[in-house]
Structures are given as structure tokens and as C-alpha cells.
Amino acid sequence: MTQRAHATVLLGLLAALLAAAVVPPSALGITRDVVLARGKVWVDARVPYSQTAWADESGGRVANSSLGYRTDCSGFVSLCWNLRWPDGRPRSLATDTLRGVSERIGKNDLLPGDILLKPKTTTTSGHAALFVGWVDPLSKTQYVSYEESGSSKGAVSRIVPYPFFEGGSGYYPYRYLGIEEDYLAQVEPVRGYDRYETAVKASRSTFATGAVETVVIASGADWPDALGGAALAGAHDAPVLLVRPDAVPSAVRAEIRRLGATGAVLLGGEAAVSKAAEDALAAVRPGFTVTRVGGRDRYETAAMAAAEAVEAARGRGKTPGGTVFVASGLAFPDALAASPASAEGVRPILLARPGSVPAPTERALRAMAPAEAVLLGGDPALERSVLESVRSLAPSVRRLAGRDRYETAAAVAAWSAERGLSWKGTGLATGADFPDALSGGVALAERGSVLLLTRPDRLAGPAAAALTANAAEVERTVCFGGMSAVGSDVRRAVAVILGFKG
């Protein structure tokens, strides 16, 4: 059990007080991140179980029910959902009354912030546990819960067999009516409490247990060496996982074990990922091998990753797509927009300076002799001199560009959809930072879908236009990252475009 990754959650400011317990969901504005953050406060404080005591949001003991929530299982859920009387006082429901503010859902609909509930009856006791996430989203046999349990030392986080221990008779999943982010038919959230966990969640949502031989590892702290990871991951049918420059997060170690990987390709030199982190990777499991692919700079590292990707693809009986992308080495958005197409067709991403093609990139183009080179981004990201230099190295050259990173990403998505990818499960990631788009793009390649970029606080116009134009084909979007990366306003806008009527 200890080797499995527990689902973890965002920590931050608590939501503002809600006016009432039972009102339409659109009026409440509580998100799943806030529900889990409230619960984690009590879990961290190990609030003792009691049916006759109360605690406030910080986990501190208070005198009565006007000041806090009852510290039993249903009082804990009431805290997490921020249930309140009309005058603002905390409202602690019981297991047989929680159904009055929630609705029963199916197992496959469960998302973080929902609950597993066994209502109390005249002959049996009840219990409620907050659902944090699946241990394995593919098998869905175990989940991580937050709960107040009379048989344990206070509020705990633990792994629970679905639907609950001892067969789970009488337990069913329920969803609070006040969840703001209730766009489940249109939006699939893939997120963790930070970039490292989000990459793990992207992997868990895509790759089966024991199905990956080699993982691709990149720094989660900086992007230059990571940009070449997509094609390499596609060649290995593997995820991109992120590590800190000097350490390997426990969730990443657990994911490597779950995948059954026997080796890793580590992108970048020791300035990007230290020798200490490399050694920690090698110690993840017996016999685990780490191959570092790192050059003197980002341009050489990208060229080395491209060559490694082509070799690995051929070694696995794949034929690289014959296309090479060329992107700016001074910014990440344009390269990341192409990550699904790069991974899906083993189309390497090489880097150039705004006004010139570096020697490692030129050598890589000559060695690969691609049938087509696609420049990502317009002038000044890649000036005309770069286009002309690449034209002398590839028989066919074209440029995919827009007025900004969001329009360029939409153009890349349209190009990708013409070459085998689909709008069906379109991905959405922030264009303001790199990690979620990197790991998410590779996951989308496995799903066969394109990627769009957006602003964190509002849906970018080009992304909205692309979704609107292809709404008939888009079945559901996949949002990578938490609310700080792809905010609730973005998710609601996507859901409305795809038919949400709430």
C-alpha cells in the first residue's frame, strides 16, 4: 500500500462563507479544489472523532455547533462542503440527511469532492467518506478517501476498496448539489496539487498498470530541455513525468512502479536535473536504468532527443512520421502546442534562434532528412531567415503561425487534425506555463486528440473559436492542471460551447 500514490490536493485559501446549504449549484460557487482543501486541513490536524464535539475550519476544538462542525463522519463532509444555515452558522448534517443536499451518481462519474455514503437506518449505522481520487483510474478498484473514522485516530486519508471496506454493502456515490464545476459531460479534469502530481495524473488517466517499459523524465522547474520530450515519449509509448532539479517526488516514484517501467530517459544536463536526482531515479526499483540525453545547450539537447526518438521508434518497429517541427528556443508555447502531433507521429521538435539555425539543429535536419519541416510561430519568434535556412535542408517547408500563442496553437491543432488526430477529446492547458501542456500533450497523443492553449482566467479567443467550429466533433474536453492553470470561468465557457445548459 505504501508504494502506491495517494491522490493529493491543492492547499490554499478557504472559500468565502456560503449563504445557505440548499440552493441551486450555480449560486454557490464552491469548487472541488476548495472542498478537498477544507478536508485536508482536518486530515493534517488529525481532528479526533467524536459525535458530541465540534471543530472549526482550522481543526481547532470549539464550544458548540454555532462555531464549528461536528467531528464525526457526516460532520466532516458538512465541513468539506461548507454547509451553513441561512444566517451563516455551520450546519452539520447526518448520514441520513446528506442526501438532501446531494444526488446519487454512478461509479464512473466519481470525481474528487464527491462522497461514498451509507445512510443510517433504524437497524444499521451510517458512514460517509470523501472521495479524493482513484488509485488506478483504469481498474477503479481502490480510491483515496478523506474521512472521520471512529476506528482510527481522527480525520485520516487512506486507501479504500470500492465502494468501502467489508464489501461496502449499502454504500453509493453521491455528488453535492453545490459543486460549481459541474460540467462533467463536457469537461474532464486532470489535475494534481502541483505540476508534478498533474503529470502523474495525466499518466494514470492514460497508461495502464504495468504497460510501460521506459518513461521520459524532464525538469519541472524549467522548460528548455523538456521540449524535445514529446517525440521521445511517443517513440516509447510512454508518459513524460516531471522531477525537481534535485529530487524525485514520491508520487513520481510511485507512478514509475505502477507503470512497471524498467528504465527512464532523462532530458537535460545536470544543470537541469542534478546527479542526485538521477541517482534517486535509479533507486526507484532494483535494476532500474537511467539514460541521460543532454547537450551543451537547449539546441543540442533537442537535437539529441530527436535522434534518440527516431532510433527508439525504429527499434520498436515504428516508422517516424517524416515531419520535423522547428520552434523557437526562447519560448515554450509554440513547441508545446505541437506536443500531441509530435508524440503521435514521432515528429521531433528542434529548436532555433529567432534569426538563425544553430549548428546542432542544422546537423539534425541533415541527418534526419525529413520530407517536411514545419515552423511553429511567426516573425519575430522565427524570422524569415530561419525559414530560408530550413528550406535549404528540407524539400517541403511550411509555417503554422497566428497573432499570438493561442492562435498559433489553434493553427497547430487544425493541422494535426488533418493528419490523424481528432477534436473528439480536445485537450486544454494554460499557455502561461509549460508543465501541464508538456505532460498533457503526450497523454493526448495516446488518446488521439489535439491540444489548445488558453489564458488561465478566461478562455482564449482562438481556443473558443476552434471549439465552436468543431463542437459537433468534440465529445468532451480534457483540462490539464488545477484552477490556477485553467480556471472555473474557462471551464464554464468550454462547457457552454459544448452544450451545457446550467
Side-chain angles (χ1 to χ4, degrees):
M1 289 290 188
T2 59
Q3 293 182 345
R4 297 199 175 184
H6 281 228
T8 49
V9 300
L10 294 171
L11 293 174
L13 297 176
L14 298 179
L17 297 182
L18 304 178
V22 186
V23 292
S26 60
L28 283 166
I30 191 168
T31 66
R32 298 182 184 280
D33 289 332
V34 172
V35 170
L36 294 177
R38 290 175 68 84
K40 193 171 190 300
V41 171
W42 274 29
V43 168
D44 288 346
R46 306 287 289 190
V47 174
Y49 178 92
S50 173
Q51 294 183 323
T52 57
W54 297 268
D56 61 18
E57 287 92 340
S58 70
R61 182 67 64 88
V62 294
N64 56 56
S65 61
S66 295
L67 302 175
Y69 293 87
R70 191 176 57 249
T71 59
D72 61 5
C73 64
S74 56
F76 176 75
V77 170
S78 300
L79 160 91
C80 295
W81 286 353
N82 202 16
L83 301 184
R84 294 186 179 270
W85 294 104
D87 63 1
R89 290 179 296 119
R91 184 185 183 192
S92 297
L93 297 185
T95 54
D96 57 346
T97 55
L98 280 172
R99 290 178 296 180
V101 297
S102 61
E103 62 181 350
R104 186 167 160 179
I105 59 175
K107 174 183 178 181
N108 292 330
D109 296 324
L110 272 167
L111 286 175
D114 297 332
I115 64 171
L116 274 298
L117 174 65
K118 179 183 180 181
K120 180 180 179 180
T121 68
T122 56
T123 58
T124 63
S125 61
H127 187 61
L130 193 73
F131 179 85
V132 176
W134 294 111
V135 172
D136 183 344
L138 298 177
S139 65
K140 295 182 178 178
T141 58
Q142 295 177 307
Y143 62 95
V144 177
S145 75
Y146 287 166
E147 56 185 293
E148 276 280 2
S149 174
S151 61
S152 64
K153 296 179 180 179
V156 296
S157 172
R158 57 181 178 176
I159 292 177
V160 180
Y162 183 85
F164 206 70
F165 293 110
E166 299 176 354
S169 176
Y171 284 86
Y172 298 99
Y174 282 80
R175 172 163 299 137
Y176 178 39
L177 294 173
I179 289 291
E180 180 188 61
E181 190 201 349
D182 199 12
Y183 318 128
L184 304 182
Q186 296 87 14
V187 177
E188 175 188 344
V190 175
R191 65 186 183 216
Y193 76 94
D194 62 13
R195 59 189 59 191
Y196 306 99
E197 175 97 3
T198 293
V200 167
K201 291 294 182 67
S203 173
R204 281 184 170 272
S205 70
T206 307
F207 296 93
T209 298
V212 173
E213 295 179 3
T214 303
V215 295
V216 176
I217 303 291
S219 169
D222 206 0
W223 54 266
D225 293 329
L227 296 184
L232 195 51
H236 285 286
D237 291 313
V240 171
L241 299 175
L242 305 177
V243 298
R244 296 186 176 89
D246 57 354
V248 180
S250 59
V252 175
R253 295 196 298 269
E255 179 62 3
I256 290 172
R257 296 186 191 106
R258 183 193 72 85
L259 292 168
T262 57
V265 179
L266 175 60
L267 292 172
E270 292 186 15
V273 181
S274 69
K275 182 65 166 58
E278 180 182 349
D279 292 342
L281 272 175
V284 165
R285 58 186 307 179
F288 193 77
T289 60
V290 180
T291 302
R292 188 185 287 268
V293 175
R296 289 167 293 184
D297 58 22
R298 63 193 64 189
Y299 306 101
E300 186 171 36
T301 294
M304 293 171 67
E308 184 79 14
V310 171
E311 181 179 351
R314 288 173 177 162
R316 292 170 59 86
K318 295 184 177 184
T319 302
T323 297
V324 171
F325 293 113
V326 180
S328 170
L330 300 185
F332 59 83
D334 297 341
L336 292 182
S339 56
S342 176
E344 183 271 336
V346 192
R347 301 175 176 100
I349 297 175
L350 298 173
L351 304 180
R353 297 187 179 92
S356 64
V357 177
T361 302
E362 180 178 344
R363 288 195 295 269
L365 284 168
R366 292 187 187 281
M368 288 186 287
E372 177 185 37
V374 178
L375 271 63
L376 303 172
D379 191 341
L382 295 175
E383 298 171 6
R384 185 168 183 82
S385 57
V386 173
L387 186 147
E388 295 301 333
S389 295
V390 174
R391 185 169 283 158
S392 68
L393 300 168
S396 175
V397 179
R398 66 172 300 170
R399 187 193 290 268
L400 298 174
R403 289 169 291 185
D404 59 19
R405 61 189 62 189
Y406 307 106
E407 194 168 291
T408 295
V412 173
W415 180 91
S416 303
E418 293 171 357
R419 286 158 178 78
L421 292 180
S422 167
W423 295 97
K424 181 179 178 181
T426 300
L428 203 65
T430 177
D433 207 352
F434 77 96
D436 298 339
L438 176 64
S439 55
V442 172
L444 288 170
E446 290 290 320
R447 297 174 180 226
S449 296
V450 300
L451 172 67
L452 296 171
L453 300 181
T454 183
R455 303 177 190 278
D457 57 343
R458 67 184 188 277
L459 183 61
L467 287 170
T468 301
N470 297 281
E473 185 179 348
V474 180
E475 294 182 357
R476 201 180 190 197
T477 60
V478 185
C479 288
F480 294 96
M483 289 297 184
S484 62
V486 182
S488 58
D489 287 347
V490 176
R491 297 168 197 247
R492 175 176 286 275
V494 170
V496 169
I497 289 172
L498 301 183
F500 179 70
K501 303 301 182 183

